[in-house]
Amino acid sequence: MASILDEYEDSLYRSASVPPSRAAVGIPHSGYVNARLEKETPIFNKQRIDFTPPEKINSLVVSSNQLCMSLGKDTLLRIDLGKPDEPNQVELGRKDEAKVYKMFLDHTGSHLLIALNTSECLYLNRSVQKVRALSRWKGHLIESVGWNKFLGTETNTGPILVGTAQGQIYEAEISVSEGSLFSTNPDQYFRLVYVLEEESGPVPVCCLEIERGIEGKFFIIATTQKRLFQFVGKVPEGTEHQGFSSIFAVHADYLPSFREFPATFGFSEIAFYTPKLRSNPRSFAWMMGNGVLYGTLDYSRPDSILSEERVWVYPSDIDITVNKPISIVLTQFHFLLLLPDGVKAVCTLNGQIVFQDLFLEKFGTLTRMIKDPTVQQIWIHTEKVVFRYHVQRESRDVWKMYMNMNKFDLAKEYCKDRPECLDIVLAKEAEHCFQNKRYLDSAKCYALTQNYFEEIALKFIEAKQEEALMEFLIKKLNNLKPSEKTQTTLLTTWLTELYLNWLGILEGDSSKRNLYLDTREKFRTFLGSPKNKDCLFNNRTSIYELLASHGDTEHMVYFAVIMQDYERVVAHHCQHDEYDEALSVLSRHRDEKLFYKFSPVLIQHIPKKVVDAWISMGSKLDARNLIPALVNYSQSASTQQINEAIRYMEFCVYQLEETQQAIHNYLLSLYALCRPDSLLSYLEQAGTNPNRIHYDLKYALRLCAEHGHHRACVHIYKVMELYEEAVDLALQVDVDLAKSCADLPEDDEELRKKLWLKIARHVVQEEKDVKKAMACLSSCALLKIEDVLPFFPDFVTIDHFKEAICNSLEDYNKHIEELKREMEEATQSAKRIREDIQEMRNKYGSVEPQEKCAACDFPLLNRPFYLFLCGHMFHYDCLLQAVFPNLPAYKQAKLEDLQKKLAAAGQPSKGHHRPKDADTASLGKGQQSREQIKADIDDIVAAECVYCGELMIRSIDKPFIEPQKYEEEMQSWL
């Protein structure tokens, strides 16, 4: 133990001047590199304050970064440590021989009490410069003050407790008036609440502390030279301002609980450690004659908050008669004792002195040591010098102490940011648990360390702790990185083997049924873990082999489901005749490929359920891929079972509206085989448009013919427009059916007549029914009596045809009369046309001299012009210019050609020796050609008025300004 503590002390408190030879770089067994290359700063780093007091220092207090110092007889120096260059000096204003006995500064640094050796007390507020005397306090030598940390403010202390040298405890309150600097009496009241005594009688109240627990409970700690008293009581909510009299009144008749030690050196001092500002203290240390009583504070206890108490006895080098301790302060893990010649720091975890600091005699005798609880700084002063200790990283190596004390949780808490230290703690904890046969806890800790995997695994194997080994492997597996694929595969396979072995052992022992179920659940959780999913999937073949080698079909199916290997699951169920379970898996996971593969097997055993499952899949299944299963099934099944196949095909056709020819053909074959009535209705519902029919007409015709479904054949003939075949076949079934077929070719009268003649011949020659033959004449207007007569035998008398012949003659007469009337109407129409032509030849129009062209607005008679019946008049060239752009390209080309021919016809001949007769003939021929060209030009240009004809109508959507000329036109308007 001593060597460990020495190592701890050396690492924790080594001086800043460690020689380079002490620095080391090493690789411990954990695998971490532990490097210490820089000089480590001590925890308690002393600093001398650059301050030379003008007079000797009598007393010094610090709180909330406010330092107050009593100098000489009558001077008080106040320093805000946030602004150390702006000290504030206050004179006490005492003319007598009074000296400062003690000073007390509250937790806010606002209220300063100055106790004088003349049994007087002064008060100074941080915000004022004048010291005030507390008249009610006069006559009492103040030894201690218990500040109210819960109600105290910068202007009011709230109810506080004051301890005197005569053992009296007073309750008081000090307030700064709002209206003026002070009220008449700053001390609001000062009343006695209790007197502390020892065997010899009243003794000084060395220390007072007020703390509040839970549920309104208050704890008051008061110390004397040998005793530590605790007053416990509740203050009703809302009455905190009334003080603590009710707590002390409870103990008026009997002593409160106290701790007493026999030795004394005339006084005692208690220190507290508060982790955060405005929170309750967590630990205490009481310096008294026999040593230091230290421990923690537990506010949940009913009578005493002191807990885990231990006593540190003064070592031999501390003699309470010669060099007795002067002051004590408490940090998180240490208490510091101020001795006349130096400071000792003791670790509260093991009671070892871990730090000593001696002061030179030239600085004078050490007077007092105090701590500022807000900034955790420690101050020490003599009459000449002030020192300050900075506490830096006090918990840096505390983990070692907790580890050696087997307090592993605390050790891990204090090294959680240092992985190399955490690994050491975990390894120690794992070994500790292993030795105490807590194998599962040991496995969990080992899995978090960097120790050699093989050593740990062999350790559990040798101890025959398979369950702990599994726990270790699981934790190790969870800690692996995604990139460590080989290790993941190894651990996963090993764990699977261990689980299967363990399950095999437990399954045969009925007394361990619950353990078997728990292990099975853990195994299934392991198989279904998302972290292991990729590894298990990549190595699923090996896992299947392991499961098969153990004969664990239950988990083989479970694993296949996790891997989404539903094909293997369904195949397993089918092999064991569990067809309903197989179909349930298919329906649940809705994999169409698996449906195609296993439907031929399932439909042989549970046809109705399989068809229901197909229907529930809807359009996700391609019915064409299911036809082979249905065909194999229907060939060996009864009519009732074939109905299931028909049900699914009907669902595809009518609900899913399938258009695949194979589906419709198969449904036709099923109808032809079992449901001839449904066959005809299906064909009729499909319609007669070949482009909208989804079955194969030739296949359907052959199928219906093979099964003797003549009406269906007739319908198919009609769809194929083979009307003669349809009528021929229909006459074998029903004459009315043949008649309906004969009327179908509506656009081919010759064919219709031929078809009706077939029907008439059949009626006359086969049925020998004259009346029905005459009915055929009335049903078809194309048939005449003379068409039907050749079909009748010679012995038939004319009486049977009398009415028909008469009707036929009447029809002929009506037809002749109609032709005569049409001829007369045609003659009258021709006459009127000739008269209109004659009238147009003689029609003319008059043009006034002042008339102008409708296009150019110039006088019309200056140039050749056109006059239209609508009244518009145009120059020839103006009309040509207006019409030409709107003519089709071929008319434009023709017009240009005619203009060229007209120009050529108007030029004189260049020959001078032509005969006169030849010239005359040529002139006549040219004149005739010229007139014809002009007429052709007129037909193109003057066919209609450019303003009133179709040309204007066709140009209604054309813009007034051409797009290419729009910008130019717009600029001209600007």
Side-chain angles (χ1 to χ4, degrees), residues 646 650 654 666-679 682 709:
I646 294 176
E650 287 179 340
Y654 298 120
Y666 184 59
L667 180 59
L668 268 174
S669 67
L670 294 176
Y671 278 152
L673 182 64
C674 294
R675 293 187 188 176
D677 296 338
S678 300
L679 172 63
Y682 165 78
H709 303 311

Side-chain angles (χ1 to χ4, degrees), residues 698-740:
K698 294 180 180 179
Y699 172 76
L701 182 61
R702 184 177 68 253
L703 191 67
C704 294
E706 289 177 357
H707 291 83
H709 303 311
H710 297 306
R711 286 185 178 273
C713 291
V714 170
H715 180 83
I716 297 172
Y717 277 134
K718 289 192 295 183
V719 175
M720 298 173 70
E721 297 183 357
L722 300 175
Y723 300 116
E724 292 190 43
E725 290 81 352
V727 170
D728 290 340
L729 185 59
L731 289 175
Q732 299 177 21
V733 180
D734 186 7
V735 175
D736 292 334
L737 179 60
K739 290 180 179 180
S740 65

Side-chain angles (χ1 to χ4, degrees), residues 155-442:
T155 59
N156 189 289
T157 62
I160 61 175
L161 297 177
V162 180
T164 69
Q166 292 77 31
Q168 299 160 331
I169 298 178
Y170 286 87
E171 185 179 76
E173 184 175 356
I174 302 173
S175 177
V176 178
S177 174
E178 297 180 358
S180 60
L181 185 61
F182 288 103
S183 63
T184 305
N185 293 312
D187 47 338
Q188 302 296 309
Y189 61 87
F190 190 76
R191 54 175 176 258
L192 179 66
V193 292
Y194 202 81
V195 177
L196 293 180
E197 296 181 353
E198 293 181 357
E199 296 90 343
S200 59
V203 289
V205 181
C206 298
C207 297
L208 283 170
E209 181 74 15
I210 304 171
E211 296 299 337
R212 181 168 61 185
I214 58 177
E215 299 178 354
K217 186 181 290 187
F218 280 82
F219 297 87
I220 299 174
I221 296 177
T223 65
T224 61
Q225 298 174 6
K226 298 191 298 182
R227 291 183 178 180
L228 186 153
F229 294 88
Q230 294 185 71
F231 298 88
V232 182
K234 286 188 177 182
V235 176
E237 186 176 356
T239 63
E240 291 88 350
H241 288 279
Q242 297 178 8
F244 307 102
S245 301
S246 60
I247 298 177
F248 289 100
V250 175
H251 303 281
D253 298 330
Y254 62 91
L255 285 176
S257 62
F258 63 89
R259 295 294 309 275
E260 184 176 12
F261 291 87
T264 178
F265 45 67
F267 68 94
S268 69
E269 184 175 346
I270 191 168
F272 296 91
Y273 169 71
T274 304
K276 295 181 180 178
L277 188 64
R278 301 283 183 186
S279 63
N280 290 331
R282 291 291 179 264
S283 56
F284 75 97
W286 180 38
M287 181 186 71
M288 38 76 184
N290 290 86
V292 177
L293 175 69
Y294 63 97
T296 60
L297 300 178
D298 185 357
Y299 296 91
S300 63
R301 300 180 68 181
D303 299 324
S304 174
I305 61 174
L306 306 184
S307 178
E308 300 180 10
E309 300 175 42
R310 286 168 288 177
V311 176
W312 182 78
V313 181
Y314 296 127
S316 58
D317 59 343
I318 298 179
D319 187 352
I320 62 174
T321 60
V322 179
N323 61 337
K324 60 184 177 182
I326 302 170
S327 294
I328 186 172
V329 296
L330 180 63
T331 63
Q332 186 177 7
F333 298 105
H334 304 84
F335 62 82
L336 281 75
L337 288 176
L338 179 66
L339 302 172
D341 59 349
V343 174
K344 290 182 183 292
V346 179
C347 178
T348 57
L349 298 179
N350 58 6
Q352 300 294 318
I353 298 175
V354 295
F355 172 76
Q356 297 187 66
D357 193 7
L358 297 178
F359 288 76
L360 300 178
E361 293 182 359
K362 67 177 182 179
F363 297 137
T365 303
L366 299 177
T367 304
R368 195 181 179 204
M369 175 173 62
I370 55 177
K371 186 183 76 168
D372 186 347
T374 59
V375 294
Q376 303 295 327
Q377 291 180 348
I378 300 170
W379 297 78
I380 297 175
H381 73 91
T382 67
E383 292 182 349
K384 302 177 182 179
V385 184
V386 178
F387 296 93
R388 178 170 58 187
Y389 280 98
H390 292 274
V391 183
Q392 298 178 342
R393 295 178 57 230
E394 184 181 5
S395 62
R396 65 183 71 172
D397 284 337
V398 169
W399 62 273
K400 291 183 181 178
M401 306 303 296
Y402 280 127
M403 181 182 69
N404 294 329
M405 297 165 62
N406 293 334
K407 295 183 178 181
F408 299 108
D409 290 338
L410 290 173
K412 288 183 284 188
E413 179 66 25
Y414 286 101
C415 65
K416 59 185 179 182
D417 297 329
R418 300 168 66 184
E420 71 282 359
C421 301
L422 181 61
D423 188 73
I424 297 173
V425 174
L426 288 170
K428 182 71 178 292
E429 182 182 8
E431 184 63 28
H432 175 77
C433 293
F434 192 90
Q435 292 176 357
N436 288 276
K437 297 185 178 181
R438 292 162 47 200
Y439 297 111
L440 287 178
D441 293 335
S442 176

Side-chain angles (χ1 to χ4, degrees), residues 467-725:
E467 189 175 1
L469 176 60
M470 290 164 60
E471 184 68 26
F472 169 70
L473 296 178
I474 290 172
K475 295 294 183 184
K476 205 70 177 175
L477 177 62
N478 293 334
N479 294 333
L480 289 177
K481 299 177 182 178
S483 58
E484 297 174 318
K485 298 184 181 300
T486 303
Q487 294 89 330
T488 302
T489 302
L490 172 65
L491 292 181
T492 302
T493 308
W494 193 1
L495 276 169
T496 303
E497 176 69 22
L498 290 174
Y499 268 121
L500 291 173
N501 287 335
W502 188 238
L503 287 171
I505 295 172
L506 295 176
E507 188 176 13
D509 192 346
S510 59
S511 62
K512 298 180 179 179
R513 179 64 180 174
N514 293 333
L515 181 58
Y516 168 76
L517 294 176
D518 292 341
T519 306
R520 185 182 68 175
E521 188 62 30
K522 289 180 181 178
F523 182 43
R524 292 185 174 185
T525 303
F526 166 74
L527 292 177
S529 172
K531 184 177 180 64
N532 304 330
K533 184 176 181 180
D534 291 340
C535 178
L536 289 170
F537 181 80
N538 294 332
N539 298 278
R540 59 188 183 277
T541 303
S542 300
I543 303 299
Y544 281 133
E545 291 175 355
L546 281 175
L547 292 167
S549 66
H550 285 267
D552 195 343
T553 56
E554 178 184 0
H555 284 104
M556 183 182 292
V557 173
Y558 183 83
F559 180 68
V561 172
I562 293 176
M563 293 294 103
Q564 298 183 359
D565 190 0
Y566 303 119
E567 181 177 350
R568 185 183 294 268
V569 177
V570 176
H572 171 80
H573 288 309
C574 290
Q575 289 171 2
H576 293 78
D577 297 337
E578 299 170 351
Y579 303 109
D580 288 333
E581 288 79 359
L583 183 60
S584 176
V585 173
L586 290 176
S587 301
R588 188 163 55 251
H589 300 288
R590 305 175 69 83
D591 187 340
E592 59 272 14
K593 294 182 180 178
L594 295 182
F595 266 102
Y596 301 148
K597 181 172 183 178
F598 292 100
S599 288
V601 176
L602 296 176
I603 200 169
Q604 300 290 336
H605 300 88
I606 47 173
K608 185 178 185 306
K609 293 181 179 179
V610 171
V611 172
D612 291 338
W614 290 351
I615 292 175
S616 67
M617 288 288 288
S619 58
K620 195 172 181 180
L621 290 178
D622 187 349
R624 291 178 302 174
N625 295 329
L626 297 174
I627 289 178
L630 290 172
V631 169
N632 293 333
Y633 170 67
S634 61
Q635 287 178 351
S636 60
S638 63
T639 303
Q640 183 178 0
Q641 292 171 323
I642 293 177
N643 289 337
E644 294 299 328
I646 294 176
R647 181 162 69 95
Y648 181 66
M649 289 292 104
E650 287 179 340
F651 169 77
C652 295
V653 170
Y654 298 120
Q655 299 296 326
L656 302 183
E657 298 181 354
E658 286 283 356
T659 60
Q660 297 293 333
Q661 191 178 77
I663 296 173
H664 287 263
N665 287 346
Y666 184 59
L667 180 59
L668 268 174
S669 67
L670 294 176
Y671 278 152
L673 182 64
C674 294
R675 293 187 188 176
D677 296 338
S678 300
L679 172 63
L680 186 58
S681 62
Y682 165 78
L683 295 174
E684 291 175 349
Q685 187 174 351
T688 59
N689 187 346
N691 297 324
R692 296 184 179 180
I693 289 177
H694 305 301
Y695 57 85
D696 186 342
L697 289 170
K698 294 180 180 179
Y699 172 76
L701 182 61
R702 184 177 68 253
L703 191 67
C704 294
E706 289 177 357
H707 291 83
H709 303 311
H710 297 306
R711 286 185 178 273
C713 291
V714 170
H715 180 83
I716 297 172
Y717 277 134
K718 289 192 295 183
V719 175
M720 298 173 70
E721 297 183 357
L722 300 175
Y723 300 116
E724 292 190 43
E725 290 81 352

